[in-house]
Amino acid sequence: MATVLIAFLVIMFLGVPLALAMGAAGLIGLGNLNIVVMAQQLFVGLNSFTMIAIPLFIFMGNLMTDSGLTEKLINFCNSLFGRFKGGLGIVSIAAGAFFAAISGSAVASTASLGSILIPALKKEGYGSGFSGAIIAAAGSLGPIIPPSILLVIYGCQTGLSIGDLFMSGIVPGVLIGLVLMAYCYWYSRKQGWRGQEKV
């Protein structure tokens, strides 16, 4: 360990960029390890049946975006909540909750919803900061509402039942979504933002 730290400091003080200095020090530290043991540990860490869910969740989020299912999901939420004050903000949070229940990824939810809803929110007169905050809050429901990638990883690492973890995420996820919708409604009334026409 001391060798790696000394190598890092020496390389860094020679004027090498920080990222390259960290990488070089890491390579020096790997020189002390057995390459066969390292390969076995990498394989054992990835050889998990439940971990297959993670890339499949991300693939599902990309599939939803590319197939146009995200727009249909937004239109469905718009038919339910669009007529209320601040309707498009409430639609954003509801669509984020539905998307989280399908993809399980905060990044996929935020990217998919943000590309469609942020321009629509700005067009309706919502501020840029508030629009970004709504999409970020809607995306944050991804790790809570099952099926959540973080709950799968936590269950694999701790040995807890992933089904029980999924069950424990339903109520908090729904409550957080409802509180976010109520805040959006209250803030929209305060700002005087209208809802959309009834679908």
Side-chain angles (χ1 to χ4, degrees):
M1 183 67 180
T3 309
V4 174
L5 181 61
I6 292 169
F8 170 67
L9 293 174
V10 168
I11 294 170
M12 188 177 66
F13 285 123
L14 289 174
V16 176
L18 185 62
L20 295 177
M22 290 174 69
L27 287 174
I28 291 170
L30 289 177
N32 300 332
L33 296 176
N34 187 347
I35 195 79
V36 175
V37 173
M38 204 166 58
Q40 287 174 344
Q41 290 300 319
L42 283 171
F43 178 75
V44 168
L46 295 174
N47 188 23
S48 170
F49 181 73
T50 50
M51 294 292 254
I52 293 173
I54 296 170
L56 294 178
F57 284 155
I58 296 170
F59 174 69
M60 183 63 195
N62 289 335
L63 197 62
M64 286 179 63
T65 303
D66 292 342
S67 66
L69 189 61
T70 304
E71 294 176 14
K72 289 181 174 68
L73 184 64
I74 292 169
N75 290 337
F76 171 70
C77 292
N78 195 22
S79 68
L80 294 176
F81 304 108
R83 64 184 175 272
F84 299 114
K85 290 241 183 224
L88 197 56
I90 296 172
V91 165
S92 302
I93 295 166
F98 280 118
F99 201 97
I102 297 170
S103 75
S105 170
V107 176
S109 300
T110 305
S112 299
L113 296 174
S115 62
I116 297 169
L117 285 172
I118 286 181
L121 286 164
K122 287 181 180 177
K123 186 178 176 186
E124 287 288 320
Y126 292 80
S128 298
F130 190 69
S131 302
I134 288 175
I135 299 302
S140 70
L141 294 172
I144 302 167
I145 296 176
S148 166
I149 292 174
L150 289 180
L151 292 179
V152 171
I153 293 172
Y154 184 75
C156 288
Q157 297 300 318
T158 60
L160 295 174
S161 168
I162 294 174
D164 290 345
L165 289 172
F166 281 176
M167 290 295 289
S168 68
I170 294 172
V171 174
V174 171
L175 286 176
I176 291 171
L178 290 174
V179 168
L180 289 171
M181 288 180 189
Y183 176 77
C184 190
Y185 176 76
W186 172 79
Y187 191 76
S188 299
R189 284 187 62 125
K190 184 179 169 185
Q191 297 293 326
W193 293 328
R194 300 185 326 252
Q196 298 173 322
E197 292 183 10
K198 187 174 180 180
V199 178

